[in-house]
Amino acid sequence: MCIRDSYKVLSEVSIHFKAGQLDFLLDRLSAMPRTKIGTEEIDLVYDLTRFSLSSSSANFAERLGRFYWSLVLEAEKPEIRDQALVKFCDVMKSWELRDARYNVLLECISNLERGYVVLPSIKIMTKLIETFPSSPSSSLSEKYTKAILIIRLQQENKLVDTLLKSITAFKTSLLKQVPAGATITESLLDGLLSNNERAGYITNLTERFNFLFFVLGNGAPDLSITYTMLSSLWDEMIMRAAVPSERDIMFKWFREAAESKAGLPINFDELLTFFKEKIARNVVGLTPEGFSCFQSVFCILNERLTKLQRVTTPAPTQTYHYNSIYGTQYISYSNPDDDRTKKDQELEFKALVFPSELIGIDELWGIAIAAASESVLEKSTALLTSLYLQLGADIEDRIVDVRKEYLTRCVGFLKEAADEEETTLRILHLVKAFLNESERKGVGSLRSHSALTKGELLTIYVNNSITTGTDVPAKVELKLYSNASVFDLRVQFAKAAKTTWDNVKLMRASQKEIKDNENGKTLGELRLRNSETLSSAKRPTPPIPQVPLVYPDGTVNPKLVKIIDDWYDIHSTDSKMSMEQCAGFIHACTNDNCRAEDTRVKNIFARWDSDKDGYLTRKEFQGFYQLAALEREKVVWSNLHSHHYRNDLKKVTEVETESIDVRILPRYLISQNPEFFTLLFSLLDKGGRVTLEAWKLLNRLPTSPETFKRIIALDGVRGAANPKWDNILDLHSNYRLLYELHVLEFLMEEQEEANLGEGGVNPFEELLKGCLLYTSDAADDLLCVDLGGRRIIKKKK
């Protein structure tokens, strides 16, 4: 018989064992070398005592606990330690050893203090504390709740203090072992750990912080860490970090503690001081985890100071099935896996004061300008722009001033940057990000400089995956000039697909999504090619509350009455609805090819055709449908959705696109600021990436009003025998020359359209015939540079 079979037999008869027999077996198993004990032995010991603790010797339960305890501390294999830990806690919950749990916790605290088997001791403490109830028990079986237990351990045995000291002691003792002159790495530190510490350097620190989070989260509200203790911990982990990843442990713990229900165990004033003196002073080179910590505390503090308002954008939860009308099938209204759904569920904030009044706003600007990590740059930029764009009701009427504040700071930073290329590029990035986020609903009539001229006429195809059926194409063909915006493209496709623009998700062949914050860009900027095919998908929007079809007093909603009348007009002739036309109406609602002989049609006419002439009058059809609204509301809503009516009884295709007040758009505010254009034009002379990015931004913005006025005036050119083109064109900067020539091309295009069909002469073209610059080497140098995806300077033949 093998050892496993022997164990199985012993387990089956264990219920009959006496105290002496149990003692004998436990002694034998306890005497085995720890390296020889496996899962079978642990299970056997547990099975032997499941039914027999009450009949065992007086100290058997304690000896059993010690057996498991020794395995937790001494076993080499992690799976053996974990299994023994579970069994140990089960034994400690037994009636015989329940009171002994406190002494075990004291022994574990002692281990922390001595730096002996710290991680196993932390696991034991965590498991044992979890065996205590969260709230007072009505029975007398438990003396403590988790909170009271932790408070006692802190008051009498300095649990938290000991844990914090163990972090510093662990680092200090290990770093003393590093050979002189050696480069400190995680692998080097891992190799210096003793057998008692088993896990790696980072794991040892992480487990200590996890336990600290557990203790503070389960302790009473008055359990606190002093400001001095927290500062010392921060300095140890952040300022004196042995390896970079060590900082993230502190960042993660601090953020999670701050966001937890229990919160950080320091008062608000201390947290504010800590943020200013510690967190906000160490923003250079922040990791993504470090920025998450900064952002969390930043938002918490400003919310508590009523400078920010926490809001949660409702995510769509209801699925609408737009069934069919004249063969058009409509796909479900929401998809819980859609990226937009996830974003909408994220927590957001609205500014209740000017952002310049927020605690930590200067540091946030500094992070966005100097971030070393792309992830931190993206997150800090997103937070910064949202603070200036998402405003509470009390400050919403100051939206222009708030946005000017953002742009003014960018101007100031650009001046300070001087010849610092990376800083200048970051500021230009912040301006572009501000434009992108503010133009999600389009730019109205405020065209970019690159969009002055129509550009190339593009044919764009969009595979329609939003609607299908006989009245909408599977592939939509759109014709737009390259100066049209992405928003224009989205709106035109939505009309063809019979939906609303905000439901439209567009993707290129690479499945890369054309995002909403690109809506203000032109098709040329996105490099959309002629005959390119895009794909589409339906995106959810926040659910619209259903309006009542019938009011409490029994009257029918006037909007529904109007819809019923419209349906009757469509499906009747000379104010009479035949059985065939009634069947057509039902088919429009259900797409089931209903015929005049259908039972549903017969039943309607049997009840509502009062004079039995085979026709329904308007009044009879209204009566039928109004009763249905009262008795079969779900069916009526299904019919309404099939006809593209929303929950507010507005037709999807009739919902007007929200108009944009261009005067509040950042691109408009910039266009009214000559200083901004002066700075951007000066950057064109810097060369390298700065010039290219400044050029892109200039073309994204409306044309400089001063440049436009100067060129339109044509001073020294119009009517002059020897035109002085240098009065209106910059001969010394290729980029500026191209910028100005684009205005002239726009004027020519406008004049051509005005003279179209009249055989008139374009005065601007005549003027340009004498402009040698138009075919000069300066212009030829820029043939490789384009505006919005196409070259505008052409050589004359």
Side-chain angles (χ1 to χ4, degrees):
M1 181 181 291
C2 68
I3 189 70
R4 182 171 296 177
D5 292 336
S6 300
Y7 287 165
K8 183 177 180 182
V9 171
L10 287 172
S11 177
E12 289 174 351
V13 299
S14 62
I15 192 171
H16 304 293
F17 284 168
K18 305 297 182 183
Q21 294 167 322
L22 290 174
D23 288 339
F24 172 79
L25 288 171
L26 183 58
D27 287 342
R28 285 303 183 93
L29 290 167
S30 299
M32 290 177 64
R34 294 295 176 257
T35 55
K36 298 292 185 180
I37 295 179
T39 58
E40 292 87 354
E41 284 76 18
I42 294 175
D43 287 337
L44 173 62
V45 173
Y46 186 72
D47 290 340
L48 289 175
T49 56
R50 268 189 308 170
F51 310 107
S52 311
L53 273 181
S54 60
S55 59
S56 59
S57 57
N59 64 344
F60 181 81
E62 183 178 348
R63 291 171 55 219
L64 180 62
R66 286 293 169 184
F67 170 75
Y68 288 135
W69 167 272
S70 65
L71 286 176
V72 174
L73 299 183
E74 300 171 17
E76 294 182 356
K77 296 181 178 179
E79 61 270 22
I80 299 299
R81 294 198 301 270
D82 292 341
Q83 185 183 8
L85 177 59
V86 173
K87 305 301 184 186
F88 173 75
C89 291
D90 282 345
V91 171
M92 295 305 295
K93 285 190 292 185
S94 66
W95 185 266
E96 292 85 351
L97 294 180
R98 187 164 292 191
D99 291 339
R101 288 175 295 175
Y102 188 79
N103 291 329
V104 173
L105 290 169
L106 297 184
E107 190 169 342
C108 288
I109 294 174
S110 176
N111 289 343
L112 258 67
E113 198 168 7
R114 293 183 294 135
Y116 173 67
V117 289
V118 172
L119 296 195
S121 296
I122 284 175
K123 287 186 176 182
I124 289 172
M125 285 191 286
T126 302
K127 289 291 185 181
L128 283 185
I129 292 172
E130 285 178 341
T131 64
F132 289 83
S134 298
S135 56
S137 175
S138 57
S139 68
L140 299 177
S141 59
E142 293 288 4
K143 294 181 180 179
Y144 307 114
T145 62
K146 288 186 180 73
I148 294 174
L149 173 68
I150 291 172
I151 289 296
R152 182 181 173 187
L153 291 173
Q154 171 62 17
Q155 290 176 344
E156 297 181 3
N157 304 96
K158 302 296 181 184
L159 170 61
V160 174
D161 304 62
T162 302
L163 182 57
L164 294 177
K165 289 177 181 177
S166 79
I167 294 171
T168 302
F170 168 72
K171 286 188 58 180
T172 302
S173 64
L174 196 62
L175 292 174
K176 284 181 179 179
Q177 303 174 47
V178 175
T183 301
I184 299 177
T185 62
E186 282 186 40
S187 58
L188 172 65
L189 296 174
D190 291 346
L192 297 174
L193 291 169
S194 66
N195 289 334
N196 284 334
E197 286 151 337
R198 296 187 185 93
Y201 175 73
I202 293 300
T203 301
N204 266 274
L205 288 173
T206 301
E207 291 299 324
R208 285 167 167 83
F209 274 90
N210 288 343
F211 183 59
L212 180 60
F213 183 82
F214 171 80
V215 169
L216 297 176
N218 285 280
D222 55 348
L223 180 66
S224 63
I225 296 179
T226 66
Y227 180 86
T228 302
M229 292 166 60
L230 193 59
S231 294
S232 298
L233 185 61
W234 182 273
D235 291 343
E236 185 65 50
M237 296 295 295
I238 303 298
M239 308 306 295
R240 296 191 292 274
V243 291
S245 54
E246 185 178 324
R247 296 187 180 95
D248 280 348
I249 299 173
M250 181 70 191
F251 287 138
K252 184 174 185 291
W253 171 79
F254 200 95
R255 174 182 59 80
E256 291 181 345
E259 293 175 352
S260 68
K261 185 177 181 180
L264 280 163
I266 59 175
N267 63 47
F268 176 80
D269 290 337
E270 287 181 332
L271 178 61
L272 180 58
T273 303
F274 190 86
F275 177 78
K276 292 178 178 179
E277 295 187 354
K278 297 294 182 181
I279 299 177
R281 283 191 179 180
N282 298 281
V283 296
V284 177
L286 274 182
T287 62
E289 189 65 64
F291 179 74
S292 294
C293 176
F294 173 92
Q295 176 175 291
S296 178
V297 182
F298 170 90
C299 292
I300 288 171
L301 288 174
N302 283 292
E303 184 185 11
R304 290 281 299 275
L305 292 168
T306 63
K307 295 175 182 286
L308 287 180
Q309 178 185 3
R310 186 184 302 251
V311 294
T312 304
T313 304
T317 55
Q318 187 171 2
T319 300
Y320 301 109
H321 296 281
Y322 293 118
N323 298 324
S324 170
I325 176 169
Y326 304 122
T328 303
Q329 298 291 330
Y330 284 83
I331 300 172
S332 61
Y333 190 75
S334 64
N335 177 3
D337 295 327
D338 190 273
D339 289 340
R340 180 160 162 180
T341 305
K342 295 174 183 176
K343 181 183 183 304
D344 286 344
Q345 290 174 320
E346 291 175 359
L347 208 58
E348 297 178 351
F349 288 87
K350 287 186 176 182
L352 302 179
V353 297
F354 271 72
S356 57
E357 299 175 32
L358 296 172
I359 300 296
I361 191 66
D362 291 338
E363 288 75 15
L364 179 57
W365 275 100
I367 294 171
I369 291 173
S373 160
E374 284 297 320
S375 175
V376 173
L377 173 61
E378 180 182 343
K379 290 180 178 180
S380 58
T381 300
L383 176 60
L384 191 61
T385 54
S386 69
L387 292 173
Y388 282 86
L389 293 173
Q390 305 298 327
L391 305 180
D394 292 344
I395 197 176
E396 205 165 16
D397 59 339
R398 303 289 303 280
I399 186 171
V400 170
D401 293 329
V402 171
R403 293 182 176 188
K404 281 183 176 179
E405 180 183 287
Y406 184 100
L407 297 171
T408 300
R409 294 203 72 159
C410 288
V411 168
F413 286 131
L414 278 175
K415 289 179 178 178
E416 294 172 5
D419 295 326
E420 296 177 14
E421 182 182 68
E422 288 301 322
T423 301
T424 301
L425 289 172
R426 285 294 175 83
I427 299 163
L428 294 177
H429 169 78
L430 288 173
V431 175
K432 291 176 185 177
F434 200 47
L435 293 176
N436 291 343
E437 293 302 321
S438 66
E439 295 170 1
R440 285 176 172 267
K441 295 182 180 180
V443 297
S445 59
L446 201 60
R447 290 187 291 180
S448 305
H449 179 73
S450 63
L452 275 179
T453 55
K454 292 179 179 179
E456 180 184 1
L457 180 61
L458 302 174
T459 300
I460 305 294
Y461 299 98
V462 185
N463 290 324
N464 179 18
S465 299
I466 298 177
T467 55
T468 60
T470 58
D471 68 336
V472 288
K475 177 179 281 190
V476 175
E477 179 181 322
L478 302 171
K479 291 188 178 294
L480 304 98
Y481 286 98
S482 60
N483 73 337
S485 70
V486 173
F487 185 78
D488 295 333
L489 171 66
R490 211 181 291 271
V491 169
Q492 286 201 28
F493 170 73
K495 288 181 179 178
K498 295 188 177 179
T499 185
T500 54
W501 72 266
D502 55 338
N503 283 330
V504 176
K505 179 178 181 179
L506 295 176
M507 292 154 289
R508 304 189 77 166
S510 60
Q511 291 303 304
K512 181 180 180 182
E513 182 185 355
I514 301 176
K515 298 181 179 179
D516 275 0
N517 63 5
E518 295 179 292
N519 280 349
K521 296 181 179 179
T522 64
L523 305 186
E525 283 182 87
L526 261 62
R527 307 293 188 196
L528 283 181
R529 303 179 302 276
N530 189 35
S531 299
E532 182 171 350
T533 299
L534 308 177
S535 57
S536 66
K538 193 172 184 67
R539 292 188 313 186
T541 53
I544 300 170
Q546 280 190 346
V547 298
L549 298 180
V550 180
Y551 295 123
D553 62 2
T555 58
V556 179
N557 191 319
K559 292 182 179 179
L560 179 59
V561 173
K562 174 66 167 59
I563 293 169
I564 295 171
D565 278 345
D566 291 342
W567 285 345
Y568 186 81
D569 290 337
I570 293 171
H571 298 281
S572 67
T573 304
D574 297 330
S575 297
K576 290 183 178 181
M577 177 184 284
S578 67
M579 296 183 76
E580 288 78 8
Q581 289 171 321
C582 183
F585 168 72
I586 295 175
H587 170 71
C589 294
T590 61
N591 194 34
D592 62 355
N593 297 313
C594 181
R595 297 289 184 264
E597 59 272 17
D598 191 286
T599 303
R600 290 168 295 177
V601 177
K602 292 179 179 179
N603 289 340
I604 292 172
F605 273 74
R607 179 170 182 181
W608 295 97
D609 181 11
S610 58
D611 56 5
K612 305 304 179 184
D613 63 348
Y615 294 96
L616 293 181
T617 64
R618 183 183 299 274
K619 185 177 181 180
E620 288 168 344
F621 184 74
Q622 287 177 339
F624 151 66
Y625 222 83
Q626 289 177 12
L627 182 63
L630 188 63
E631 296 180 348
R632 305 178 66 190
E633 183 181 12
K634 288 184 179 179
V635 174
V636 173
W637 273 117
S638 178
N639 294 346
L640 288 164
H641 292 156
S642 295
H643 285 79
H644 321 320
Y645 286 98
R646 309 187 312 178
N647 282 355
D648 56 2
L649 296 182
K650 290 182 180 179
K651 209 163 190 175
V652 173
T653 54
E654 295 174 352
V655 176
E656 294 183 3
T657 303
E658 183 181 348
S659 61
I660 299 295
D661 183 357
V662 297
R663 295 170 300 177
I664 69 171
L665 290 177
R667 63 165 53 205
Y668 173 81
L669 301 178
I670 291 175
S671 72
Q672 303 302 303
N673 186 347
E675 184 181 19
F676 209 107
F677 279 104
T678 300
L679 276 171
L680 290 179
F681 281 127
S682 70
L683 295 179
L684 295 177
D685 301 325
K686 295 288 185 181
R689 291 187 298 158
V690 169
T691 292
L692 291 176
E693 293 304 316
W695 174 246
K696 290 178 183 178
L697 182 54
L698 277 167
N699 283 291
R700 175 76 181 276
L701 296 170
T703 303
S704 162
E706 290 187 352
T707 300
F708 200 85
K709 291 176 183 177
R710 186 179 74 248
I711 293 175
I712 285 181
L714 290 173
D715 288 339
V717 174
R718 192 191 303 272
N722 298 304
K724 297 182 179 179
W725 287 99
D726 56 345
N727 283 2
I728 63 171
L729 299 177
D730 192 324
L731 306 180
H732 307 292
S733 169
N734 290 344
Y735 279 99
R736 294 189 193 188
L737 173 62
L738 181 59
Y739 188 90
E740 293 158 346
L741 286 174
H742 191 46
V743 178
L744 285 173
E745 186 180 17
F746 162 72
L747 295 173
M748 290 172 59
E749 187 177 272
E750 291 285 293
Q751 192 64 44
E752 282 179 2
E753 291 186 359
N755 294 339
L756 196 62
E758 298 178 5
V761 177
N762 189 332
F764 289 105
E765 187 169 357
E766 289 297 311
L767 282 171
L768 285 175
K769 285 181 180 178
C771 177
L772 298 178
L773 289 174
Y774 195 60
T775 54
S776 69
D777 291 338
D780 290 343
D781 288 342
L782 288 171
L783 291 179
C784 61
V785 181
D786 56 11
L787 283 164
R790 71 184 194 90
R791 179 167 56 83
I792 70 157
I793 296 181
K794 317 171 189 68
K795 288 186 178 181
K796 297 287 185 182
K797 293 182 180 180

